[in-house]
Amino acid sequence: MRNKTGFNPLSRTAAHQRAMARNMVTSLFRFERITTTKAKAKEVRKAAEKLITRGKVDSVHNRRTAAKFIQDEKILNKLFTEIGPRMKDRNGGYTRILKLGFRQGDAADVVILELVDYKLPSSEDDSSAKAKKTEEKKPAAKKTPAKKAASKAKTAEKAAPAEEAK
């Protein structure tokens, strides 16, 4: 008889499992997208979905329950002010797992675990940011013929002592 087989221990002690799950859920809420192995993602997804369900209703009890799992106060606040309200009209399925392939070293399945409403940074944002940076840079001042001649003379003086030493 195989009792209590409802989870994957991931070859870790109970304390290590708990710590890893806390860290990964915190990272998921911070970045809204993480890359990990398939087995870890399936375990972390369970905890993350329960916390997002708690985050939909901002009450003292829900905050304290979530604070037992999420140690970072900023991320806890983000869960209740940003992530929870965004998922208000969903009845579950707040995360998705996207397969990437196999890891080079041990051939483990690598996946992306992300929140369902995650948006990739658009190329328009990147191009407008690059345009602003180029506008901020001042064009280099052009050298006048007198400055060019002076710089050539200095380089010739530096080269002359080197030739005399030979």
Side-chain angles (χ1 to χ4, degrees), residues 35-38 98-104 108-112:
T35 303
T36 184
T37 61
K38 186 176 179 182
L98 304 170
K99 295 179 184 178
L100 285 180
F102 299 102
R103 192 160 53 195
Q104 184 74 35
D109 283 334
V110 179
V111 298
I112 293 175

Side-chain angles (χ1 to χ4, degrees), residues 25-34 75 78 113-115 118:
V25 168
T26 302
S27 294
L28 176 65
F29 292 157
R30 177 178 288 133
F31 303 112
E32 299 186 7
R33 183 178 205 184
I34 58 173
I75 302 304
K78 182 179 178 179
L113 176 65
E114 68 180 9
L115 298 180
Y118 178 78

Side-chain angles (χ1 to χ4, degrees), residues 141-156:
K142 294 182 180 179
K143 289 187 177 180
T144 60
K147 288 183 180 178
K148 286 182 183 178
S151 64
K152 285 182 183 179
K154 286 181 183 178
T155 54

Side-chain angles (χ1 to χ4, degrees), residues 2 11 17 32 41 52 88 103 105 109 111 113 119 125 130-131 138:
R2 297 185 43 163
S11 301
Q17 290 170 30
E32 299 186 7
I52 292 172
K88 202 71 160 175
R103 192 160 53 195
D109 283 334
V111 298
L113 176 65
K119 302 244 187 317
D125 295 338
K130 288 178 183 176
K138 294 180 181 176

